[in-house]
Amino acid sequence: MIKKAVIVHIINPRKMKLEKEYLDELLYLAEGAGFTIVEVVKQKISAPRAPFYIGKGKLQEIKEIALDNDVETVIFGVNNLSPSFKHKIEDFLKLEVIDRTRLTLNIFEAHASSKESKIQVELALLRYELPRLKGRGEELSRLGGGIATRGPGEMEIEKERRIIRKRVNTLEKSLKTLFKNRGTMSKSRKKQNIPVVSIIGYTSAGKTSIFNILTKSDFTVDSKPFTTLDPKVRYGYLGNNHGALFIDTVGFIRDLPMELFTAFKATFSEASNADLLLLIVDVSQDNINEHIETIYKVLKDLRIEDKPSILLANKIDLLENIGTVVNSIIAIYDGLVIPTSAVSLEGIYDLKQSLREKLTHANTLV
């Protein structure tokens, strides 16, 4: 079944340089969630406007486009659209409205397959939905019990809120157990004296392709966002009687929803326990610097920005001006940069050699 959507692209006048990158990423996420985009409606505003976030005239334009094209969903390109705005916009359009955060959560939900990833995604979804119950309760209360009274709608929402909070508590306990188990596995690896390399990067930068090459694995490679939710761990031989355990982790995007970051903290902790970080950037993209900044922001949030690392300028097979691009990366990244291609295998030999040297320097190589 085709899911048609209209995208509302909010342009902040103070961030005009990133306008194209924000839109490209939003389109990428929408298509990854299975939507066919009918039209992109742009609105330049420096701050939300009551009562619909954007102007009523622009909202009417969106409504007419949706009616003409059998659209059922409107995607607002902002994170955490307030419950008040969301309900008022939906009431005006008579359509489903989702923000960028909910869009990202939808993708994670679709790709969650293991018990661990399902727990983490459900927890993120519930934390996102909990504050959004209020608006629905007020609407229902006005219908059933009057503005100044605790009507049946409000009481029903309070009941639903208690159920959600109880479920959140249960999931958080399960997550603590998972976190503890990951810590136990990490200690076990340390006892075996096998170095651990965590592969980190923007979603679809080629992390799984590099992981497959280094570990001689054949995990499915997909260009869609967030296809890797569960960390994969495999041993990879680096030559000269040296090897390491490689971990393929969840990909990042700009402004990763806090609900997901918090819920997937146990998964991200794999990077915290690694001896070395392998940072991967898709150099065929126009916004390489922003991707590197996003990676650094996540590393800082995890407090591991000072860990030893190597940055792979990946997908150089798609470039003609390799030297220029690599030099631009070196200008902002204070560390070793290796141009690589998972297709032509260019740079893989240099990568293995650098991994041996880096891990030897850390006195962890076996």
Side-chain angles (χ1 to χ4, degrees):
M1 181 180 176
I2 298 176
K3 299 188 296 183
K4 294 182 179 180
V6 170
I7 281 183
V8 181
H9 177 46
I10 305 299
I11 302 172
N12 188 330
R14 295 188 296 273
K15 298 181 179 180
M16 288 299 295
K17 289 184 178 180
L18 297 175
E19 186 265 329
K20 182 180 182 299
E21 285 78 5
Y22 274 107
L23 178 56
D24 287 346
E25 186 166 282
L26 187 58
L27 287 167
Y28 173 63
L29 292 172
E31 290 166 2
F35 286 103
T36 296
I37 306 306
V38 170
E39 191 162 338
V40 175
V41 177
K42 298 183 179 182
Q43 175 75 81
K44 184 186 291 186
I45 53 174
S46 55
R49 303 172 185 171
F52 300 118
Y53 198 100
I54 61 177
K56 188 175 181 179
K58 185 66 70 174
L59 205 59
Q60 181 61 40
E61 177 187 337
I62 294 167
K63 187 173 184 177
E64 291 171 4
I65 293 171
L67 287 171
D68 291 341
N69 294 278
D70 297 321
V71 168
E72 296 181 352
T73 304
V74 174
I75 302 170
F76 260 70
V78 296
N79 282 324
N80 291 309
L81 185 68
S82 75
S84 175
F85 279 132
K86 173 180 165 61
H87 295 306
K88 287 173 182 175
I89 295 168
E90 285 183 330
D91 186 55
F92 184 91
L93 296 176
K94 308 301 180 188
L95 296 169
E96 176 191 39
V97 173
I98 62 174
D99 58 17
R100 182 178 178 274
T101 302
R102 190 61 169 93
L103 178 65
T104 308
L105 288 167
N106 286 352
I107 300 172
F108 269 71
E109 185 178 23
H111 291 157
S113 56
S114 70
K115 178 182 178 181
E116 180 175 341
S117 62
K118 287 180 179 178
I119 288 174
Q120 292 175 111
V121 171
E122 183 184 355
L123 183 58
L125 282 166
L126 291 176
R127 284 173 172 161
Y128 172 81
E129 292 293 348
L130 190 58
R132 286 161 177 77
L133 294 176
K134 183 179 179 181
R136 293 212 308 265
E138 290 172 349
E139 286 179 7
L140 292 171
S141 292
R142 285 197 295 271
L143 291 173
I147 296 175
T149 62
R150 284 166 47 87
E154 185 178 347
M155 288 187 287
E156 185 63 31
I157 290 300
E158 287 182 1
K159 179 182 177 181
E160 189 174 347
R161 187 179 287 117
R162 286 196 300 272
I163 293 171
I164 289 178
R165 282 175 176 159
K166 184 177 180 180
R167 179 61 179 162
V168 165
N169 289 335
T170 300
L171 292 171
E172 285 177 339
K173 289 178 182 178
S174 298
L175 211 54
K176 285 182 180 178
T177 301
L178 291 171
F179 196 84
K180 184 178 180 180
N181 291 341
R182 286 202 173 278
T184 301
M185 286 189 289
S186 177
K187 288 179 181 178
S188 176
R189 292 173 194 145
K190 289 290 184 183
K191 288 180 180 180
Q192 295 175 31
N193 198 32
I194 300 176
V196 176
V197 178
S198 185
I199 301 177
I200 293 173
Y202 223 76
T203 184
S204 297
K207 298 185 304 300
T208 301
S209 295
I210 295 295
F211 177 86
N212 282 342
I213 292 169
L214 292 173
T215 63
K216 294 185 177 180
S217 301
D218 60 353
F219 288 102
T220 301
V221 175
D222 199 321
S223 60
K224 293 180 180 178
F226 308 119
T227 52
T228 300
L229 294 188
D230 298 294
K232 295 185 285 287
V233 184
R234 292 291 187 277
Y235 180 83
Y237 182 64
L238 298 172
N240 296 338
N241 296 318
H242 297 310
L245 284 176
F246 291 89
I247 303 177
D248 188 12
T249 60
V250 180
F252 305 145
I253 58 170
R254 182 190 288 107
D255 299 328
L256 185 71
M258 185 52 64
E259 293 88 349
L260 280 170
F261 183 81
T262 303
F264 275 77
K265 200 166 185 179
T267 301
F268 288 133
S269 70
E270 292 286 4
S272 302
N273 297 321
D275 299 294
L276 186 141
L277 306 178
L278 197 56
L279 314 179
I280 303 185
V281 176
D282 177 359
V283 293
S284 69
Q285 299 292 316
D286 295 330
N287 45 356
I288 305 171
N289 290 2
E290 286 74 27
H291 286 194
I292 294 175
E293 289 174 7
T294 296
I295 293 172
Y296 263 122
K297 182 180 183 303
V298 174
L299 296 183
K300 287 181 179 179
D301 289 340
L302 292 170
R303 299 179 181 177
I304 56 172
E305 69 271 22
D306 294 326
K307 271 188 176 290
S309 64
I310 297 173
L311 191 148
L312 298 193
N314 197 34
K315 301 190 182 183
I316 58 172
D317 53 288
L318 301 177
L319 287 181
E320 293 182 359
N321 56 335
I322 299 174
T324 302
V325 173
V326 171
N327 287 336
S328 69
I329 293 174
I330 292 174
I332 63 171
Y333 174 72
D334 185 21
L336 178 62
V337 178
I338 302 178
T340 56
S341 167
V343 176
S344 67
L345 301 184
E346 186 174 352
I348 298 302
Y349 177 83
D350 292 338
L351 170 59
K352 288 183 177 181
Q353 184 177 25
S354 296
L355 284 169
R356 291 198 304 267
E357 293 172 356
K358 283 271 189 179
L359 293 170
T360 300
H361 182 70
N363 295 318
T364 57
L365 212 62
V366 294

